[in-house]
Amino acid sequence: MRLRALLDTDTLGLRLLGGTDELDRTVRGVMTTDLRDPSRYLSGGELVLTGLAWRRQPEDSERFVRILAAAGVAGLAAGEAEQGAIPDDLVQACVRHRLPLFAVVEDVAFAVITEHVVRQVSTERAGDLAAVVERHRRLMTSGPAGGGPEVVLDLLGSDLDLRAWVLSPTGRQIAGSGLTGAGPALPPAAGARLAGEHLAAVRTGRRGPHRLTDQGTAFSLFPIRTAGRDLRETLLSDWLLVVEADASDWPEERLDLLHGVTQLIAVERDRRDAARSVRRRLAQEVLELVQDGAPPAEVAARLRVAAPILVPGLGTAPQWQVVVARVKWDGSDIAGGPVAQSLLEEVLVDPEATGPEPSDRIAVAHIGDEAVALVPLPALPENREDSKSEIGSAAETESTLHAHALLAAVRAPLERGLSDDGRLTLGVSAAVHSAEGLRGALEEARHARRVAAARPGRVCAAGHEELASHVLLLPFVPDDVRRAFTARLLDPLRDYDRRHRAELVPTLEAFLDCDGSWTRCAARLHLHVNTLRYRVGRIEQLTGRDLARLEDKLDFFLALRMS
């Protein structure tokens, strides 16, 4: 239907305030909103109804209208029931952006306009598409209380005979429907293949739906997208809608319906993220304490406060493991921390659980470019004699996370999504039994991730069992020993650098990294060899060490690694 037809319907009581030249625009749907930024729920062609609750100051009108115009909506209808006359700043903003603006008189409900538009837009006979559109509209306006993705997928099954599933980017089934009830689940292998095809299609820039055949069955894949400045910011966290059908010959109305379904499911995706915000914040607080070297008693106290949320059902003294992940895109300054956080939450999902909130053990923070997960595991039996008892060892082995096992089922789809410019590296610590071991576990997981980063491939992992030499030993050196050792060797150099800006500590790091080669180190630091010899001599004088001796080189090497 055209916007012009709305003015010709007396029962709607619409009054045109601007946009006379744009009245031939086609209306494809209707949406009621008072959100300040409703862009994630818009697909273009809607008549937007608003009560103006988003407007707090005149400047808000320009921002709101700019968002609607960018989304390609057909027109805006503002109600006079709450604020009286439509503000002039809103009228002017609509004129600037060539967006038709209507005033809705006080005695006409938005529901009347919505029902009229839905009836006109629905071109198929009663009992088919129109009924589904109307029910979906009601679910969308009710928000998360509408029942989640399962209810929407059940409607697709009962009204359109479509089997559909919602999958995570790794292929995990989040929701599904069939012709009756919940219907059969997608086999995990099929889910992983479909997710991989979807990620590959998105990376090539193809518009959805993406159509393909898997094991002789036709599927259409509809992206469920989150707004982001760059596709790679959300690629590894967005869900997808899988429909068992070939959408290549579908009428435009049915495609519009499925796009509306993805918008509704996106609301559930956002609700899931909001529900995790408390767990993320608690994990952030604990990990910042650990990273800043807070006393173990302080870390333990914070864990006890957070335990009811972080470890429901596991008691207050579980084992802990730390998992560190990093996502890096070649030639890009995209912040990798939030991307790795969403992905690590997905990777750590309990494989036996289903649904949008399948696990209570996921608590992930991001620090810089890394995502760090603090994973509680069931506590070992209290009556075991020692850590090597048969019962304790069996329990620990059974519950412990293993780096390669975490990525085994998700490697294939993630490699398709990372394509040729992204990398995921992951490291896993050993289990520790108290807050005192968390700092060591964090460093161990980081060392393991660095081991993984040194390997070829787009998706790489390493566990604590793969570490060797000082890399394995350093994380578990007591904090007071660390501080005393590094202070004795490095504090004289740091003090001298502060007073004279001599850069002795960077010079020491480069000298050791170059295996004591004077020429290579001087070239790296862009110094004359004589200047380098002077600096090394000053280091030896201040510390009483001799950098020609292997033992002293090793001491400096360890001190730098522990500082």
Side-chain angles (χ1 to χ4, degrees):
M1 66 176 296
R2 307 285 184 181
L3 279 175
R4 191 181 305 279
L6 296 174
L7 287 176
D8 297 334
T9 306
D10 295 336
T11 57
L12 300 183
L14 295 178
R15 186 172 74 256
L16 183 66
L17 300 181
T20 304
D21 296 335
E22 306 293 331
L23 291 180
D24 286 328
R25 292 185 179 185
T26 299
V27 180
R28 300 185 184 280
V30 62
M31 177 186 179
T32 301
T33 184
D34 275 313
L35 295 173
R36 293 170 63 84
D37 181 3
S39 59
R40 69 182 62 184
Y41 310 118
L42 298 171
S43 59
E46 297 93 342
L47 173 66
V48 174
L49 308 176
T50 181
L52 302 179
W54 48 264
R55 183 184 178 275
R56 300 172 185 172
Q57 52 189 357
E59 293 78 12
D60 292 342
S61 294
E62 170 66 24
R63 179 178 181 273
F64 185 78
V65 173
R66 184 171 65 250
I67 290 171
L68 297 189
V73 304
L76 174 64
E80 297 179 333
E82 294 293 331
Q83 300 191 21
I86 306 303
D88 186 65
D89 50 84
L90 179 59
V91 176
Q92 294 304 316
C94 288
V95 170
R96 284 193 294 273
H97 292 278
R98 302 176 62 86
L99 182 66
L101 175 64
F102 302 88
V104 182
V105 298
E106 184 175 351
D107 57 352
V108 175
F110 283 172
V112 174
I113 301 174
T114 298
E115 291 172 2
H116 175 81
V117 172
V118 168
R119 283 198 304 270
Q120 296 300 315
V121 170
S122 302
T123 59
E124 299 197 5
R125 302 182 68 85
D128 192 296
L129 196 56
V132 180
V133 171
E134 178 64 11
R135 279 194 253 183
H136 278 62
R137 182 194 64 78
R138 291 174 181 170
L139 283 172
M140 187 157 318
T141 56
S142 66
E150 292 84 359
V151 174
V152 184
L153 300 186
D154 283 345
L155 286 176
L156 290 180
S158 61
D159 289 54
L160 294 182
D161 291 343
L162 290 176
R163 290 172 56 186
W165 302 266
V166 177
L167 302 182
S168 76
T170 64
R172 177 176 61 88
Q173 181 172 316
I174 294 165
S177 75
L179 302 184
T180 58
L186 271 178
R193 287 193 298 270
L194 292 171
E197 292 292 339
H198 163 74
L199 291 173
V202 171
R203 289 305 310 274
T204 61
R206 288 158 47 196
R207 292 189 59 187
H210 310 125
R211 296 176 292 274
L212 69 144
T213 300
D214 183 78
Q215 304 290 309
T217 302
F219 294 96
S220 296
L221 313 179
F222 293 80
I224 301 172
R225 289 184 177 153
T226 304
R229 291 174 291 129
D230 190 299
L231 173 67
R232 291 170 294 184
E233 291 179 329
T234 59
L235 176 71
L236 300 178
S237 59
D238 285 344
W239 294 348
L240 67 144
L241 174 65
V242 176
V243 177
E244 190 180 299
D246 185 350
S248 58
D249 58 351
W250 281 8
E252 188 172 351
E253 291 83 359
R254 182 168 288 200
L255 287 174
D256 286 344
L257 168 65
L258 268 293
H259 286 303
V261 171
T262 64
Q263 293 171 357
L264 179 55
I265 296 172
V267 175
E268 176 66 17
R269 174 72 172 81
D270 292 340
R271 187 197 67 78
R272 194 281 304 267
D273 271 352
R276 282 184 171 175
S277 61
V278 174
R279 299 177 58 77
R280 287 174 170 176
R281 178 175 55 80
L282 289 174
Q284 193 86 25
E285 291 174 359
V286 172
L287 288 167
E288 285 176 357
L289 288 175
V290 172
Q291 182 168 264
D292 293 343
E298 184 178 350
V299 177
R302 191 70 191 92
L303 280 174
R304 283 195 295 271
V305 173
I309 296 176
L310 292 180
V311 286
L314 290 181
T316 58
Q319 301 179 88
W320 299 95
Q321 270 188 286
V322 175
V323 182
V324 173
R326 185 179 184 186
V327 175
K328 182 174 177 58
W329 302 100
D330 296 340
S332 173
D333 59 356
I334 294 174
V339 179
Q341 180 182 44
S342 296
L343 184 55
L344 197 51
E345 287 173 335
E346 171 65 22
V347 170
L348 289 173
V349 164
D350 185 347
E352 300 299 323
T354 59
E357 296 176 275
S359 178
D360 286 331
R361 73 179 183 179
I362 303 170
V364 186
H366 66 82
I367 301 175
D369 286 339
E370 291 180 334
V372 182
L374 188 63
V375 183
L377 304 172
L380 297 180
E382 295 182 0
N383 60 353
R384 63 188 178 94
E385 293 181 2
D386 56 55
S387 60
K388 294 184 179 181
S389 69
E390 183 178 351
I391 296 177
S393 297
E396 185 171 9
T397 300
E398 182 179 353
S399 62
T400 298
L401 300 176
H402 296 281
H404 299 287
L406 286 175
L407 294 181
V410 302
R411 186 183 302 275
L414 290 181
E415 286 178 344
R416 303 291 298 276
L418 291 166
S419 188
D420 58 354
D421 62 345
R423 284 201 80 200
L424 165 66
T425 51
L426 181 145
V428 180
S429 77
V432 295
H433 310 300
S434 64
E436 285 81 354
L438 282 179
R439 183 178 180 187
L442 175 59
E443 293 194 24
E444 186 179 54
R446 282 177 167 159
H447 285 309
R449 193 205 63 78
R450 294 188 189 102
V451 170
R455 295 170 174 165
R458 290 292 164 188
V459 179
C460 298
H464 62 93
E465 69 281 356
E466 300 178 65
L467 302 180
S469 184
H470 70 282
V471 176
L472 179 61
L473 298 176
L474 289 185
F476 299 100
V477 175
D479 288 346
D480 55 344
V481 176
R482 286 169 173 267
R483 287 190 289 268
F485 183 76
T486 57
R488 187 163 57 250
L489 281 175
L490 300 183
D491 279 2
L493 306 182
R494 291 167 176 161
D495 292 341
Y496 191 87
D497 282 348
R498 279 194 294 269
R499 293 196 307 269
H500 303 284
R501 297 182 181 179
E503 298 187 355
L504 295 184
V505 173
T507 300
L508 175 62
E509 290 178 316
F511 186 72
L512 295 175
D513 195 43
C514 291
D515 298 324
S517 169
W518 297 99
T519 54
R520 281 196 291 133
C521 184
R524 175 181 294 189
L525 297 175
H526 305 290
L527 298 175
H528 192 278
V529 172
N530 289 341
T531 303
L532 176 60
R533 290 184 183 279
Y534 172 80
R535 288 188 183 181
V536 170
R538 179 64 68 182
I539 291 170
E540 293 175 335
Q541 180 185 14
L542 291 171
T543 60
R545 299 298 184 107
D546 181 359
L547 279 169
R549 298 178 67 246
L550 176 61
E551 294 86 348
D552 289 342
K553 285 182 182 178
L554 180 58
D555 283 348
F556 278 122
F557 176 80
L558 294 175
L560 289 168
R561 289 297 182 272
M562 290 192 293
S563 63

